[in-house]
Amino acid sequence: MYNDLIVEHFTSPSYVGDIDTPDLEYELGNSVCGDRIRIHVKTTDGFITDIAFRAWGCATSVATADIFCNSVKGQSLEDINKRESQNIASMLGELEPSQYHCLDILKELHSSLLSEIMEGEFDG
Amino acid sequence: MDKNLITGYFDYNATTPISESVAEQMMSSLTLFCNASSSNSAAQKGKSLISSARTNVSEMLGCSPEQIFFTSGGSEANNWAIKGCLLPHGASPGHVISTTIEHPSVLSTLEYLANSFGFDITYLNPRQDGAIAIEDVRSALRSDTQLISVMYANNETGVIQPVEEISTLAQDRNIKFHTDCVQIIGKKSINLHKLGADFASFSAHKFYGPKGIGGLYIKSPETLEPLIHGGGQEMGLRAGTENLLAIAGLAQASKDCVEEVTKWDTHYKECKHHLIKRLNASPFNVLFNGSTSPDKCVSNTINFSIDGVRGEALSAFLDKKYGIVVSIGSACSNNKSKKLSHVLKSMGYSDERIQGALRVSFGRYTTKENIDHFVDRLEQCALKLLDVSMMDA
């Protein structure tokens, strides 16, 4: 039902919280299923130096937010931008059909991060 | 029985473990090698087993053995009662009254009959306490109403429906009345003769019997069409070689139920009182879904939401971290939509409240210590999820 990776990140998430003065803050929501995730990001010289999330969602979407944060922290925006969608999809491990919506959440977490940055809505 | 599993098991409304006495009875029947419908001498043992099982079940339900017919379980019994009653009217389909909180085996069957034959179904919503109002049933009656189907107790909230009043209404107007008794048996003593219902469904695995066996009570067996045609078993009303092993288990479960249901009910009441006390003393805003009153609800069931905490996440946490099993009011579905409890939805609760809902149902093996363990772990998990949450609790 839940793979080990999802269980680990869901039961012991490492990136829960808020950043006092984030360089970027964005929120994803699925009006149909009600999942919501808020991300706070701190960047320095094109690198993600700190990141935190809060979520209202199912176990898999909470794990997805934590896996995303873990995967981008310390990475350059350039490298994150190069990630291919099939690699992003494999980050959650094997999922059941009812968990597939979290693949979309993960892709949107990536695309929103990059689009917000490219739109220059913050000074990083 | 796996004692470790039982310690954290709070989902008795989904299924119960087979009791020791039922397991013993089934083990001793394992070698019973006969086809009970044959006419040879070996079949006699099978016939006796079936006959004695029918007596045990009838004593549990307060009816005659001749009114009990074995099926594969509650879903088949619900299908049989509804289709068997309505299909003879297929050429001139009339009106049916049911509720929005029925089991899917009732709702889907009614939908099929509406779509395929044109029956007009009125689905009544419960009030916010989870119970159907008798005045709503009365208002829905029509001159062409052919069947009323209302469950005895709801599986998600445990709320007992006004089946006695509904039965009286139906009898006064000569309308057939079916009640799904799957969730009441093993929790409270019932008497179908006194109730006066025409059909009542039951399932053994909800009261410590095996899966794959249940039955239908039929007040006047000559009035109901068979669902499964074939070899003439069950007095010609339900074909198929009898499942002797499962029937042996059902017989013992029924006997135990007759002897012990009052004791179980008292035990459940104590457990429920303790659980509610613990939940009310917790640091959370606990919202009870449906009535918790002992006279309006079966005593083994509590449905509640913790404000700000998603039920799916909480149940996953309890299960994966501590092996604690409960049921939830909402789950993710395969098409990226939310799958909200149709029962809680029809009671008028908000989506957030339904997404937070947990159903805790306990049984004869649950102890006060198990409940303390459950609440302690629940508090730990809920605090952790509240820390993650972006919702204001």
Side-chain angles (χ1 to χ4, degrees):
Chain A
M1 193 176 174
Y2 302 96
N3 69 49
D4 291 345
L5 189 69
I6 298 295
V7 171
E8 182 196 327
H9 282 273
F10 163 60
T11 56
S12 305
S14 304
Y15 295 91
V16 172
D18 309 289
I19 293 173
D20 282 345
T21 52
D23 294 317
L24 173 64
E25 174 179 347
Y26 65 101
E27 190 172 318
L28 304 182
N30 178 332
S31 59
V32 180
C33 72
D35 285 355
R36 284 167 61 195
I37 294 171
R38 187 181 67 208
I39 302 284
H40 282 179
V41 185
K42 201 87 178 155
T43 65
T44 306
D45 299 331
F47 280 79
I48 307 287
T49 51
D50 200 7
I51 187 162
F53 79 94
R54 287 199 182 278
W56 162 258
C58 63
T60 310
S61 72
V62 172
T64 300
D66 199 59
I67 289 168
F68 168 74
C69 292
N70 189 50
S71 80
V72 299
K73 189 173 180 186
Q75 301 294 308
S76 71
L77 295 165
E78 195 182 347
D79 285 345
I80 296 167
N81 195 27
K82 285 180 191 161
R83 287 182 182 176
E84 293 182 8
S85 70
Q86 65 197 51
N87 294 335
I88 292 174
S90 67
M91 286 166 58
L92 300 184
E94 197 175 335
L95 299 178
E96 291 195 348
S98 64
Q99 297 168 311
Y100 287 169
H101 67 288
C102 291
L103 291 172
D104 294 335
I105 290 174
L106 184 60
K107 286 174 191 166
E108 210 181 328
L109 285 169
H110 277 89
S111 61
S112 296
L113 173 71
L114 295 166
S115 65
E116 295 277 348
I117 288 168
M118 278 189 269
E119 281 171 19
E121 288 181 359
F122 75 103
D123 298 320
Chain B
M1 191 181 306
D2 185 341
K3 295 285 181 193
N4 289 329
L5 177 66
I6 292 300
T7 300
Y9 189 68
F10 293 90
D11 205 13
Y12 280 77
N13 282 10
T15 193
T16 58
I18 286 179
S19 68
E20 293 87 346
S21 60
V22 168
E24 272 173 33
Q25 190 60 44
M26 291 179 74
M27 292 295 271
S28 71
S29 304
L30 263 177
T31 52
L32 188 56
F33 169 62
C34 69
N35 183 331
S37 296
S38 299
S39 52
N40 55 49
S41 54
Q44 194 50 49
K45 277 188 180 173
K47 287 190 206 308
S48 300
L49 187 152
I50 292 169
S51 170
S52 140
R54 220 183 292 282
T55 301
N56 287 6
V57 173
S58 69
E59 284 169 1
M60 176 178 71
L61 299 180
C63 61
S64 305
E66 296 74 26
Q67 294 172 310
I68 297 299
F69 296 82
F70 297 125
T71 67
S72 62
S75 289
E76 185 192 324
N78 284 337
N79 266 266
W80 182 12
I82 295 168
K83 289 176 184 167
C85 176
L86 292 178
L87 282 178
H89 299 290
S92 53
H95 176 239
V96 179
I97 299 171
S98 190
T99 80
T100 51
I101 60 171
E102 298 300 311
H103 187 268
S105 59
V106 168
L107 295 174
S108 300
T109 303
L110 291 173
E111 199 182 323
Y112 161 74
L113 291 168
N115 293 337
S116 302
F117 296 90
F119 286 94
D120 188 15
I121 321 286
T122 297
Y123 296 100
L124 302 174
N125 277 322
R127 302 292 170 94
Q128 202 157 27
D129 65 358
I132 300 296
I134 187 66
E135 53 268 35
D136 291 348
V137 182
R138 194 177 290 114
S139 304
L141 289 168
R142 295 189 344 202
S143 58
D144 65 340
T145 302
Q146 292 164 330
L147 175 70
I148 302 173
S149 179
V150 176
M151 62 188 1
Y152 206 122
N154 183 262
N155 49 317
E156 292 190 35
T157 61
V159 173
I160 295 171
Q161 304 304 318
V163 288
E164 288 168 17
E165 293 95 321
I166 295 171
S167 183
T168 304
L169 270 186
Q171 287 176 83
D172 288 349
R173 289 158 182 79
N174 206 22
I175 298 168
K176 299 289 184 196
F177 175 47
H178 164 244
T179 181
D180 176 353
C181 290
V182 165
Q183 290 292 346
I184 191 75
I185 296 171
K187 290 151 195 168
K188 293 208 181 289
S189 178
I190 64 168
N191 186 307
L192 293 177
H193 176 71
K194 206 170 139 199
L195 178 65
D198 294 281
F199 316 108
S201 315
F202 60 94
S203 178
H205 77 101
K206 305 292 189 182
F207 56 100
Y208 310 98
K211 292 163 185 63
I213 188 75
L216 184 66
Y217 156 86
I218 311 175
K219 185 160 72 178
S220 307
E222 69 282 358
T223 62
L224 193 68
E225 293 289 316
L227 181 68
I228 300 176
H229 298 80
Q233 290 88 353
E234 297 294 284
M235 285 73 86
L237 286 183
R238 199 277 187 182
T241 301
E242 295 88 345
N243 184 349
L244 291 180
L245 194 58
I247 290 173
L250 167 63
Q252 185 62 44
S254 304
K255 184 170 180 283
D256 294 345
C257 186
V258 169
E259 290 167 3
E260 298 189 39
V261 69
T262 307
K263 189 177 89 184
W264 296 342
D265 188 34
T266 305
H267 173 62
Y268 301 157
K269 278 182 182 138
E270 287 167 5
C271 287
K272 188 169 184 171
H273 178 73
H274 187 61
L275 178 54
I276 290 174
K277 200 171 81 180
R278 286 286 322 257
L279 289 172
N280 281 332
S282 75
F284 314 112
N285 182 20
V286 176
L287 308 162
F288 292 100
N289 303 319
S291 175
T292 55
S293 165
D295 57 333
K296 291 185 175 170
C297 193
V298 291
S299 42
N300 81 319
T301 308
I302 299 180
N303 195 309
F304 64 93
S305 306
I306 296 178
D307 202 9
V309 178
R310 277 277 281 261
E312 189 271 353
L314 185 52
S315 78
F317 214 135
L318 287 164
D319 184 13
K320 291 295 165 188
K321 200 84 178 165
Y322 301 110
I324 290 171
V325 180
V326 296
S327 245
I328 53 176
S330 163
C332 300
S333 76
N334 293 356
N335 58 358
K336 297 177 195 170
S337 62
K338 58 193 164 196
K339 207 164 65 185
L340 296 176
S341 151
H342 69 287
V343 174
L344 300 182
K345 191 82 185 155
S346 69
M347 287 162 71
Y349 293 128
S350 69
D351 286 5
E352 284 76 20
R353 183 161 173 173
I354 298 170
Q355 285 177 319
L358 290 186
R359 178 192 70 186
V360 174
S361 53
F362 33 79
R364 53 191 274 202
Y365 303 112
T366 309
T367 64
K368 240 175 169 179
E369 289 71 34
N370 296 156
I371 288 174
D372 283 331
H373 174 74
F374 165 69
V375 179
D376 291 345
R377 299 295 171 255
L378 180 87
E379 288 184 1
Q380 285 175 11
C381 296
L383 280 173
K384 210 152 182 182
L385 287 172
L386 278 173
D387 186 43
V388 175
S389 180
M390 58 196 289
M391 305 283 275
D392 294 326

